Amino acid sequence: TAHGRRLLQQRWTDHEFGVMRRLHHAGVRVPYPVAFAEDLFDMEYIGDLDGAAPQLYAARLGPDQLATAFDQVVDGLAAIPRAGWAHGDLSAYNLLWWQDEVWFIDFPQAVDIAANPQGLSYLPRDVVNVCRWFTQKGHEVDGEELFADMLAHAL
């Protein structure tokens, strides 16, 4: 029913808002979540008067910027699970590039890694997905090796 779809939309929006609030509070570079209501989710605008920040996949990065972006993504990939979450669908489409900074976006499918029995299984997928993109752009990195290294440093 239309009512059921509205309830699902509100639940989805509430979930994303809550995850982004927690991540912002934990120091992850996400747009500040301002408010939500029904099917509306207001958050900090990343960009300027000429336009919104591009998604990472569309940003034109030189080798140095690519290395900087990668380092920032790795920092975020470590900070998100420290805050208790897995993005669940991380890719160059869910990252923004603005003024030499990477911003993490699109968290409606984020998974609580402690509450969800499959939660931890989303972490390596996120790492491998973004590493594949960086490798395609010329910044060679092994996603599985990076995940193993991140896991070893977390213990």
Side-chain angles (χ1 to χ4, degrees):
T1 66
H3 177 69
R5 285 191 299 276
R6 278 193 309 277
L7 288 175
L8 286 174
Q9 177 65 44
Q10 185 172 2
R11 183 175 178 198
W12 186 2
T13 306
D14 177 45
H15 173 72
E16 185 172 15
F17 179 82
V19 169
M20 288 184 70
R21 258 182 81 195
R22 289 179 194 98
L23 292 175
H24 188 271
H25 182 70
V28 178
R29 194 175 297 119
V30 297
Y32 178 74
V34 177
F36 79 94
E38 293 186 28
D39 63 346
L40 180 67
F41 180 16
D42 291 332
M43 67 183 89
E44 175 185 9
Y45 177 75
I46 309 299
D48 61 19
L49 293 176
D50 293 326
Q55 293 166 301
L56 186 61
Y57 87 91
R60 297 175 189 254
L61 306 180
D64 291 342
Q65 289 176 310
L66 198 61
T68 296
F70 178 74
D71 290 344
Q72 292 178 23
V73 168
V74 170
D75 289 345
L77 284 168
I80 292 169
R82 273 196 309 269
W85 296 93
H87 186 283
D89 188 34
L90 193 61
S91 73
Y93 291 87
N94 304 76
L95 297 165
L96 301 178
W97 178 253
W98 187 248
Q99 297 180 340
D100 294 329
E101 293 185 343
V102 171
W103 293 79
F104 290 76
I105 60 168
D106 291 339
F107 287 90
Q109 70 292 328
V111 177
D112 182 325
I113 58 176
N116 185 320
Q118 302 299 318
L120 290 174
S121 68
Y122 289 90
L123 296 174
R125 185 176 75 180
D126 285 348
V127 173
V128 169
N129 281 346
V130 294
C131 286
R132 186 177 307 121
W133 182 84
F134 278 97
T135 296
Q136 291 170 350
K137 294 298 178 184
H139 189 80
E140 283 291 323
V141 61
D142 182 321
E144 292 177 10
E145 184 178 311
L146 175 62
F147 180 72
D149 186 54
M150 292 171 70
L151 192 58
H153 285 89
L155 299 176

